[in-house]
Amino acid sequence: STVHAHRSALIHSLGDPAKLGIENSYQYFDDGLLVIEDGRIAAVGEAEKLLPGLPAAAQVTEHKDSLLCPGFIDTHIHYPQTGMIAAYGEQLLDWLNNYTFPTEQHFQDKEHAAGVADIFLTELLRNGTTTALVFGTVHPESVDAFFEAAEQRDLRMIAGKVMMDRNAPDYLTDTPESSYKESKALIERWHGKGRLHYAVTPRFAPTSTGEQLAVAGQLLGEYPDLYMHTHLSENKKEIEWVKELFPERSGYLDVYDHYELLGERSVLAHGVHLSDCECERLAETDSAIAFCPTSNLFLGSGLFNLPKMEAHNIKVGLGTDVGAGTSFSILQTLNEAYKLMQLQQEKLNPFKSLYLATLGGAQALKLDDKIGNFSIGKEADFVVLDYNATPLMSYRMAQAKELEERLFVLMTLGDDRTISETFAMGRSVHQR
Ligand code: GUN
Ligand code: FE
């Protein structure tokens, strides 16, 4: 077995600051060592204490003026929308019709899909994101192409084929029967293969009939540990439309609840406009919300209420929601999250941000037994953040000596330039 150690300032989250208190929510070593054996965390602690115990053959890499932390986790993103990021001028429903659907049409072509999947994964790693929950398109080819690319890089990824049988162009719709068959074939091929997981992915309530949502629920019952990935209560017009389409249901969330789509591996993007009853039901079913600040601001969807989710004990991860989101960077996503909360007279503490970007995301995805922090035995997916990434970052860091301030500056000024190296299973997968 091979032992590789990384010496650097080092931080990781131990839990939600809202539950543990800020001081107990993280572990930090100014001169730390992360010891990796066969792609997994073997030890973490102070370099001086751990170095003498390393085997003679162990390699030690030193990272100067850097902060090492777990890889970022993006709990909601659309890989087929990589090429339409920053398509401007519309809110959700017109944005979908004018930009999104025409873009997604091209993913019936496997070669096109493979090209975009490669660009997408490169971009994730450039930004320090090592795990994501990913939308494909309605075409099964899009998901095969994505999983092939993720498997090649040995990344922990979750994805699924979109199910959509109404209110979309003919070229993008399936049927309850075809979506069942195609999803099932993809599940058999990819779910649980290496580091890959499948997510049953009805796009959102308006683009599925009740019949198709029932099929989604059926699939979830047929295989263990499948994910469910969709959108929820993003935009006010969307919510009104759902009420018209499903008048027999008590609200948007109740549509998904009725078809048995909620549960501990269900991730619903947005949840910007939720009633107290809906929050209670999300908590009861242990479903998670993906908080997507850059998207919510870009599409003018509204201001997500994070404290309300905390009060209801709802699991929350961060999502970039590219292409409605405007950045692949989880650091930039935290920058916007902070501002969005300021607009609501709320503060986002940098240790809470660290939690959301790493362990909180892992918990939202039920992967916290495998990733999210540096607990012994977890997979060594981590990033190296560079305090000297730019002249401005360097100058600003010269003024900021306290850890909390340094973290906040990283999360506000930081972006892809801040990520000097990304590792997956202990292997370097991106160098700036
Ligand atoms: N709701 C349904 N589809 C989409 C999508 O592709 N992006 C966003 N942001 N919201 C959606
Ligand atoms: Fe989305």
Side-chain angles (χ1 to χ4, degrees), residues 27-53:
Q27 202 173 31
Y28 172 76
F29 302 100
D30 204 38
D31 179 15
L33 198 74
L34 184 66
V35 184
I36 296 159
E37 189 166 358
D38 297 330
R40 291 174 188 277
I41 310 297
V44 62
E46 283 176 32
E48 278 187 11
K49 283 191 193 153
L50 291 175
L51 282 168

Side-chain angles (χ1 to χ4, degrees), residues 99-151:
Y99 297 113
T100 314
F101 293 155
T103 301
E104 292 192 3
Q105 179 177 10
H106 303 293
F107 287 74
Q108 70 195 53
D109 174 357
K110 173 98 184 273
E111 266 181 59
H112 174 78
V116 178
D118 195 60
I119 293 166
F120 172 86
L121 288 177
T122 300
E123 201 57 31
L124 281 187
L125 297 174
R126 287 186 65 254
N127 283 282
T129 298
T130 47
T131 286
L133 172 57
V134 181
F135 257 68
T137 65
V138 74
H139 316 98
E141 294 84 355
S142 73
V143 176
D144 280 322
F146 176 78
F147 278 138
E148 281 167 21
E151 183 179 43

Side-chain angles (χ1 to χ4, degrees), residues 15-25 306-307 309-311 313-314 349 351-353 355-356:
D16 187 350
K19 291 182 183 152
L20 302 179
I22 287 170
E23 286 315 308
N24 295 322
S25 77
L306 183 61
M309 302 298 132
E310 267 175 9
N313 223 351
I314 297 169
N349 181 281
F351 295 105
K352 174 77 182 195
S353 292
Y355 167 74
L356 286 172

Side-chain angles (χ1 to χ4, degrees), residues 278-287 312-315:
E278 289 178 314
C279 288
E280 280 164 27
R281 191 62 190 143
L282 285 167
E284 258 172 26
T285 57
D286 204 23
S287 304
H312 280 95
N313 223 351
I314 297 169
K315 296 184 300 188

Side-chain angles (χ1 to χ4, degrees), residues 334-393:
L334 289 169
N335 172 26
E336 299 287 294
Y338 178 83
K339 296 170 188 169
L340 188 152
M341 290 186 64
Q342 279 279 51
L343 285 168
Q344 301 174 88
Q345 319 307 320
E346 297 285 349
K347 298 276 183 267
L348 184 57
N349 181 281
F351 295 105
K352 174 77 182 195
S353 292
L354 171 74
Y355 167 74
L356 286 172
T358 58
L359 185 60
Q363 289 170 348
L365 299 181
K366 272 273 166 194
L367 290 174
D368 51 309
D369 58 332
K370 299 184 173 69
I371 54 172
N373 68 7
F374 295 144
S375 294
I376 310 302
K378 284 196 189 182
E379 298 164 351
D381 290 0
F382 61 98
V383 294
V384 183
L385 306 174
D386 179 6
Y387 286 133
N388 295 321
T390 65
L392 177 63
M393 180 76 85

Side-chain angles (χ1 to χ4, degrees), residues 211-385:
E211 208 184 342
Q212 183 169 58
L213 295 176
V215 160
Q218 187 186 340
L219 283 165
L220 291 171
E222 287 179 15
Y223 296 87
D225 300 341
L226 278 179
Y227 288 86
M228 198 288 295
H229 187 196
T230 191
H231 296 90
L232 170 71
S233 299
E234 176 178 9
N235 167 291
K236 292 204 169 148
K237 278 191 191 164
E238 170 208 17
I239 295 167
E240 289 312 306
W241 195 21
V242 172
K243 283 184 187 154
E244 287 167 26
L245 292 168
F246 296 92
E248 71 284 11
R249 303 271 60 94
S250 67
Y252 199 156
L253 185 70
D254 190 47
V255 174
Y256 297 139
D257 201 359
H258 177 77
Y259 293 103
E260 298 183 46
L261 301 182
L262 304 181
E264 60 179 23
R265 283 185 176 77
S266 297
V267 181
L268 303 103
H270 306 299
V272 173
H273 312 280
L274 294 174
S275 68
D276 285 335
C277 282
E278 289 178 314
C279 288
E280 280 164 27
R281 191 62 190 143
L282 285 167
E284 258 172 26
T285 57
D286 204 23
S287 304
I289 293 287
F291 170 27
C292 307
T294 77
S295 167
N296 294 162
L297 293 168
F298 183 72
L299 291 181
S301 301
L303 303 178
F304 181 75
N305 192 336
L306 183 61
K308 181 171 169 175
M309 302 298 132
E310 267 175 9
H312 280 95
N313 223 351
I314 297 169
K315 296 184 300 188
V316 175
L318 276 178
T320 60
D321 195 25
V322 165
T326 51
S327 175
F328 275 80
S329 169
I330 287 290
L331 296 174
Q332 272 307 295
T333 302
L334 289 169
N335 172 26
E336 299 287 294
Y338 178 83
K339 296 170 188 169
L340 188 152
M341 290 186 64
Q342 279 279 51
L343 285 168
Q344 301 174 88
Q345 319 307 320
E346 297 285 349
K347 298 276 183 267
L348 184 57
N349 181 281
F351 295 105
K352 174 77 182 195
S353 292
L354 171 74
Y355 167 74
L356 286 172
T358 58
L359 185 60
Q363 289 170 348
L365 299 181
K366 272 273 166 194
L367 290 174
D368 51 309
D369 58 332
K370 299 184 173 69
I371 54 172
N373 68 7
F374 295 144
S375 294
I376 310 302
K378 284 196 189 182
E379 298 164 351
D381 290 0
F382 61 98
V383 294
V384 183
L385 306 174

